[in-house]
Amino acid sequence: MSWIIKEDIFDKDRITTNSNKYMIGNGYMGYRGTLEEFDKTQLTATTLAGVYDRFEDKWREPVNAPNGLATKIYCDGEELNTLTATVVQHTQQLDYFHGVHERSTTFQLAEDHIVTFISRRFCSASRLHLLANEIVLQSSKSAAFVIHTGIDGDVWDINGPHLEQLNATASENILQLDAVTHELKHTVSVAEAISVTFGEQQLLLHEYGVFREIKLDAIANESYSFQKYVAVYTSLDDAQNCSLAAYSESKKALVAGFKLLLEEHQQVWREKWKNSDVKINGDDKAQEALRFSMYQLHIIAPGHSERLSIPARGLSGQVYKGAVFWDTEMFMLPFFLYTQPDIARNLMMYRVHTLEGARRKAAEYGYEGAFFAWESQETGDDACTLFNVNDVFTGRPMRTYFRDKQVHISADVAHGIWQYYTFTGDDSMLTDGGAEVIWECARFFYSYAYYNSRKQRYEILDVTGPDEYHERVSNNAFTNKLVKRTVNIALEAMETLKVINRVQYETLIAGSETTIEQLHHMNNNLYVPSPDENSLLIEQFDRYFTLEDVKLPELKSRILNKNEYLGGGNGIATTTQVLKQADVVLMLHLFKDQYDHATKQANWTYYEPRTEHGSSLSSCIYAMVAADVGSSDWAYPYFLRTATIDLTGDSKQYVGDLYIGGTHPAANGGAWMAAVLGFAGVHFNGQRVQIKPSLPEQWCSIQFPLLLKGQLFQVTVDSKTVVITTQGEHPHCISFEINEQLHHIEAGQELRVELS
């Protein structure tokens, strides 16, 4: 099957969505899939991971670096621009097996004059600071070309401008543009080296950039090519002088050449897919969507740093302030846990490094321990404001309770750290700060909880669960369950720490106002809503079942403005049972081994028609729980909705004039989860892998790797059999539960189990 997505027509209405669809990246930076002639008006951006800036009193957001791939080409005085010239052929494509973007455009300048503009580029997976671009031109007639190519510092910002003190230089055929960020005065340096063997060059210095003007008298039907090597560094990188580092990197790339750089890059990508590819036999649409989803995760994974995580819109721009949400732990982490645990470790160490920000937030609200940011940036301080939505009727900002009442974020973080430890057995995660984070999260919940002396139980009051349409509710089932999980693993983590690092354990205990005994008491007496004895339904929060039970179409008929917010104080969903996204059903997925089939079936059936799916996080959860109860026919549409979100671009791109588009990493991770954890039925508890398949009828088989505690397994599942092979030695003993029977497999052998 092809690993290429492409479009054979230029549609100006799809520029924004294609910019996300055809992205390239390497975890250090992301480059949107715009065309070479585009600028900030078309949302061209080189988004840097972990570099944030605030301009005046606007929202802090990631910094977009100067665009080192900026290129405008003129032929006989006419610009080769898809927006203004006559296009007779256009192809834009992405080879997502190798992470290479290509475009080919044929322009008609006169009745008998055709010019072809071909480009391919990649964001190097082997040299993280490098972008490489090759451009080829051909004219059907002899013509005069003028090429303007260089570094454009007039970049797209949502809440900028962020770059100041722009300084352009040129030395030894290398262009350089240095800038300083407005708030924290970080230096951003971009250098561009070029390999060109034709024409005459002239330096062009602009107020916001530096360019080369190359004049070429082209011969008819001859091909002319040049290569650009763009290096990006900031003062946050491990370089004494980021300006010199950028210069040196671009010069090294020039010496290496495009062919060698491409080969290095492609080899890294081959290794990525070797350890992560999921093969679906019988359903090409699902195969393409799933692989594309995994590609989107690969290009934003911070493999080079444990001080970075994955923002809610990846590296596709500045939307959502480039902040890290609970999306990472709940929807992206599983993919990396099962395939690239080193990256999973980085994601969780990011939370360790932002612990002080979480402590500051807890103290701000009068609590102990760590209350993690709902929208986390580089320090862990909360970038979320108290007013996140505008009332479309009055124009006034509406008070929301994402920042201060979605306390489950600390439980999500603790859960993620413990998941990593469980999957890998890596004690260093605990001793390097993971145990302290878990302990501090448990301390936060102990100080937040209310002890109801009449009912002799702890309750979690005044919270907002995953269903954001209902704010400030009490005893949200998901939240309470995750809080109990946090307290429980805090006790486990401390027992483990006592064994592996007694000094660290005693230091934590001695410095804490919360005691082990208090957490034991809370763990034993924390209220978690349980299934009703008759209906088996779990009430989403206290008195949820007393709300108006309106059908979703009826609720939508009450909408007066298509952009009105359905939740909050006055939203039309607030007084009804209609919910934004998976809430109880998400809990049933996370704790699937603690609820029986009938309970999961009853709750899925009840909550599914009441869920509006107002978030891209929702569909994959309904897919997984449906597959878990054997209803793969119900699960499949939810899987496709999740897996194709960035292929189709059908998600909302604007609210008013505010751009909210970009990629959807949580949905990308959700697509993988739905396929492997849902349809293949994989569940790992640290010692045993359970496989309980429920494949869609369209799928003949599914094959995927699992990397667990240093052991690589290849798993193939079809309607009749499960086949498992291993590679390498067995440092840990992992068993497989299939058909409710345990099986063991020796190194280098194959396990084949017939499904009943």
Side-chain angles (χ1 to χ4, degrees):
M1 174 182 170
S2 171
W3 288 75
I4 293 175
I5 56 168
K6 70 177 181 177
E7 295 186 17
D8 292 321
I9 188 172
F10 176 73
D11 182 353
K12 65 180 181 180
D13 293 329
R14 287 189 59 81
I15 290 175
T16 303
T17 54
N18 282 349
S19 298
N20 304 314
K21 182 176 179 179
Y22 294 104
M23 263 196 68
I24 54 176
N26 60 13
Y28 177 82
M29 57 183 161
Y31 193 89
R32 287 171 63 81
T34 49
L35 303 182
E36 281 70 19
E37 63 267 31
F38 290 170
D39 56 26
K40 69 178 184 179
T41 307
Q42 289 77 41
L43 311 188
T44 297
T46 311
T47 304
L48 303 179
V51 184
Y52 295 91
D53 184 74
R54 181 174 186 174
F55 181 73
E56 296 178 347
D57 61 348
K58 299 179 181 180
W59 285 348
R60 293 186 87 237
E61 62 190 11
V63 170
N64 285 330
N67 178 21
L69 299 186
T71 300
K72 291 184 181 295
I73 300 175
Y74 303 84
C75 181
D76 290 341
E78 183 174 351
E79 184 182 356
L80 303 182
N81 190 319
T82 47
L83 295 173
T84 57
T86 301
V87 176
V88 294
Q89 180 275 333
H90 176 78
T91 298
Q92 184 174 10
Q93 71 177 41
L94 175 70
D95 172 358
Y96 56 90
F97 185 79
H98 295 115
V100 178
H101 172 276
E102 297 187 35
R103 67 85 65 92
S104 175
T105 310
T106 301
F107 298 92
Q108 185 155 12
L109 304 187
E111 185 175 346
D112 58 347
H113 189 184
I114 298 297
V115 176
T116 301
F117 180 172
I118 299 172
S119 167
R120 59 175 173 165
R121 63 177 179 243
F122 59 92
C123 194
S124 177
S126 58
R127 307 186 187 201
L128 297 183
H129 297 272
L130 186 68
L131 284 158
N133 184 200
E134 180 176 60
I135 292 175
V136 180
L137 298 172
Q138 187 177 64
S139 172
S140 65
K141 297 177 64 177
S142 295
F145 281 90
V146 177
I147 302 167
H148 288 173
T149 188
I151 309 170
D152 183 5
D154 188 15
V155 300
W156 167 49
D157 286 318
I158 295 178
N159 291 289
H162 298 297
L163 300 179
E164 301 174 345
Q165 303 175 38
L166 273 67
N167 179 41
T169 57
S171 176
E172 294 184 337
N173 201 33
I174 295 177
L175 305 184
Q176 185 127 8
L177 188 65
D178 298 325
V180 176
T181 62
H182 176 80
E183 177 194 12
L184 299 177
K185 308 304 178 187
H186 297 311
T187 301
V188 179
S189 298
V190 179
E192 179 252 271
I194 192 169
S195 174
V196 57
T197 59
F198 57 79
E200 299 176 359
Q201 288 194 41
Q202 181 179 344
L203 183 66
L204 298 178
L205 290 175
H206 291 192
E207 181 182 1
Y208 292 103
V210 56
F211 300 87
R212 311 166 193 273
E213 181 179 83
I214 305 172
K215 293 183 177 180
L216 164 68
D217 291 324
I219 300 172
N221 299 317
E222 287 287 325
S223 291
Y224 298 88
S225 65
F226 62 94
Q227 297 79 33
K228 286 164 60 74
Y229 308 102
V230 176
V232 182
Y233 273 83
T234 78
S235 52
L236 293 174
D237 295 320
D238 294 329
Q240 290 184 339
N241 185 313
C242 62
S243 181
L244 289 177
Y247 177 90
S248 175
E249 185 77 2
S250 63
K251 190 173 183 178
K252 289 177 183 177
L254 180 64
V255 172
F258 193 86
K259 182 179 179 181
L260 176 62
L261 294 172
L262 180 60
E263 289 175 352
E264 290 177 357
H265 167 78
Q266 290 177 333
Q267 180 57 37
V268 175
W269 271 100
R270 284 190 286 270
E271 288 299 312
K272 288 179 187 289
W273 288 115
K274 177 183 176 182
N275 296 322
S276 64
D277 185 28
V278 178
K279 300 175 183 177
I280 298 171
N281 181 22
D283 189 346
D284 289 347
K285 182 178 181 180
Q287 177 72 89
E288 178 181 75
L290 180 56
R291 280 176 169 162
F292 182 73
S293 294
M294 290 188 287
Y295 166 80
Q296 291 288 354
L297 291 171
H298 281 309
I299 65 174
I300 56 179
H304 62 291
S305 174
E306 63 177 36
R307 292 184 176 272
L308 298 173
S309 186
I310 301 177
R313 284 289 187 264
L315 297 176
S316 63
Q318 298 164 323
V319 174
Y320 289 159
K321 308 164 197 168
V324 178
F325 288 70
W326 71 307
D327 306 28
T328 306
E329 281 76 18
M330 288 295 164
F331 298 89
M332 303 176 221
L333 181 64
F335 169 71
F336 297 110
L337 283 173
Y338 280 97
T339 63
Q340 298 163 89
D342 55 331
I343 293 177
R345 190 182 198 281
N346 284 351
L347 297 177
M348 292 296 90
M349 285 302 297
Y350 164 80
R351 295 298 192 178
V352 172
H353 290 300
T354 54
L355 175 59
E356 289 307 313
R359 283 183 171 133
R360 286 190 289 270
K361 182 179 175 183
E364 174 189 344
Y365 287 105
Y367 300 110
E368 299 173 7
F371 184 6
F372 275 86
W374 185 244
E375 299 178 5
S376 182
Q377 295 179 340
E378 76 272 47
T379 64
D381 293 284
D382 209 327
C384 187
T385 65
L386 300 180
F387 298 87
N388 286 278
V389 181
N390 286 336
D391 187 319
V392 296
F393 302 108
T394 66
R396 292 178 176 174
M398 296 169 56
R399 176 68 160 96
T400 55
Y401 293 89
F402 307 146
R403 185 188 201 274
D404 42 355
K405 298 302 177 183
Q406 290 197 283
V407 300
H408 68 79
I409 178 62
S410 285
D412 305 330
V413 170
H415 171 77
I417 291 174
W418 195 249
Q419 282 284 95
Y420 171 80
Y421 172 68
T422 299
F423 270 62
T424 64
D426 178 8
D427 290 344
S428 72
M429 169 56 72
L430 300 182
T431 56
D432 287 350
E436 184 176 7
V437 170
I438 293 172
W439 178 251
E440 291 295 272
C441 289
R443 289 184 62 230
F444 165 68
F445 288 122
Y446 184 79
S447 67
Y448 190 93
Y450 164 70
Y451 184 71
N452 188 326
S453 58
R454 184 175 65 85
K455 296 183 178 180
Q456 295 188 322
R457 69 187 191 188
Y458 292 87
E459 299 181 352
I460 310 297
L461 309 180
D462 194 16
V463 301
T464 301
D467 166 26
E468 294 172 334
Y469 287 166
H470 297 91
E471 300 178 333
R472 308 197 71 173
V473 302
S474 294
N475 293 317
N476 169 253
F478 172 90
T479 301
N480 286 33
K481 186 74 172 178
L482 264 290
V483 170
K484 184 176 178 65
R485 164 80 169 161
T486 301
V487 175
N488 184 267
I489 63 177
L491 294 170
E492 286 192 55
M494 295 307 283
E495 283 299 309
T496 303
L497 190 62
K498 186 193 297 186
V499 174
I500 62 177
N501 193 322
R502 182 85 184 199
V503 173
Q504 193 176 89
Y505 165 80
E506 291 177 349
T507 300
L508 273 179
I509 294 298
S512 173
E513 297 177 14
T514 310
T515 66
I516 292 286
E517 291 71 27
Q518 288 172 326
L519 289 187
H520 271 296
H521 189 260
M522 183 177 178
N523 189 45
N524 293 332
N525 296 283
L526 176 60
Y527 169 60
V528 177
S530 57
D532 179 82
E533 290 184 3
N534 298 314
S535 68
L536 300 180
L537 296 180
I538 301 170
E539 192 167 28
Q540 184 172 296
F541 52 80
D542 288 353
R543 299 183 60 77
Y544 169 83
F545 289 142
T546 67
L547 299 177
E548 180 187 5
D549 191 10
V550 62
K551 302 291 186 184
L552 190 55
E554 164 61 22
L555 180 77
K556 290 189 173 182
S557 73
R558 302 174 186 177
I559 294 176
L560 300 179
N561 184 304
K562 65 178 182 179
N563 290 327
E564 68 180 275
Y565 183 54
L566 304 187
N570 300 314
I572 59 174
T574 302
T575 57
T576 76
Q577 291 188 27
V578 171
L579 53 146
K580 179 180 178 182
Q581 64 196 72
D583 197 307
V584 168
V585 176
L586 174 55
M587 179 187 72
L588 295 175
H589 160 66
L590 291 176
F591 301 95
K592 61 188 295 183
D593 54 349
Q594 296 182 27
Y595 296 94
D596 61 24
H597 180 279
T599 298
K600 287 182 275 194
Q601 179 72 66
N603 283 275
W604 193 97
T605 302
Y606 186 85
Y607 284 106
E608 188 271 339
R610 293 166 175 80
T611 305
E612 194 252 341
H613 299 294
S615 166
S616 61
L617 312 182
S618 189
S619 293
C620 66
I621 302 302
Y622 276 88
M624 283 188 286
V625 177
D628 187 27
V629 298
S631 298
S632 58
D633 53 334
W634 282 95
Y636 185 73
Y638 282 117
F639 160 77
L640 275 186
R641 185 185 303 180
T642 299
T644 60
I645 188 169
D646 288 329
L647 276 174
T648 63
D650 289 341
S651 60
K652 186 178 291 187
Q653 300 293 317
Y654 286 88
V655 172
D657 61 355
L658 178 65
Y659 179 66
I660 63 164
T663 58
H664 298 77
N668 302 146
W672 181 91
M673 288 197 298
V676 175
L677 309 187
F679 294 132
V682 171
H683 178 63
F684 182 53
N685 66 3
Q687 298 296 330
R688 183 183 73 253
V689 181
Q690 182 186 65
I691 299 180
K692 181 186 172 186
S694 179
L695 299 186
E697 63 178 13
Q698 297 92 329
W699 295 11
C700 299
S701 66
I702 181 172
Q703 184 181 63
F704 49 89
L706 299 175
L707 182 58
L708 304 172
K709 294 192 173 180
Q711 298 171 237
L712 181 62
F713 301 93
Q714 285 290 340
V715 181
T716 303
V717 177
D718 60 29
S719 60
K720 297 181 180 179
T721 59
V722 174
V723 179
I724 304 168
T725 60
T726 65
Q727 298 178 14
E729 297 299 321
H730 280 229
H732 297 277
C733 181
I734 295 177
S735 58
F736 288 81
E737 180 185 331
I738 307 169
N739 285 346
E740 298 183 352
Q741 291 187 349
L742 285 181
H743 302 269
H744 300 278
I745 179 171
E746 298 298 327
Q749 293 188 353
E750 177 183 283
L751 171 67
R752 179 180 295 269
V753 179
E754 300 295 325
L755 297 173
S756 56

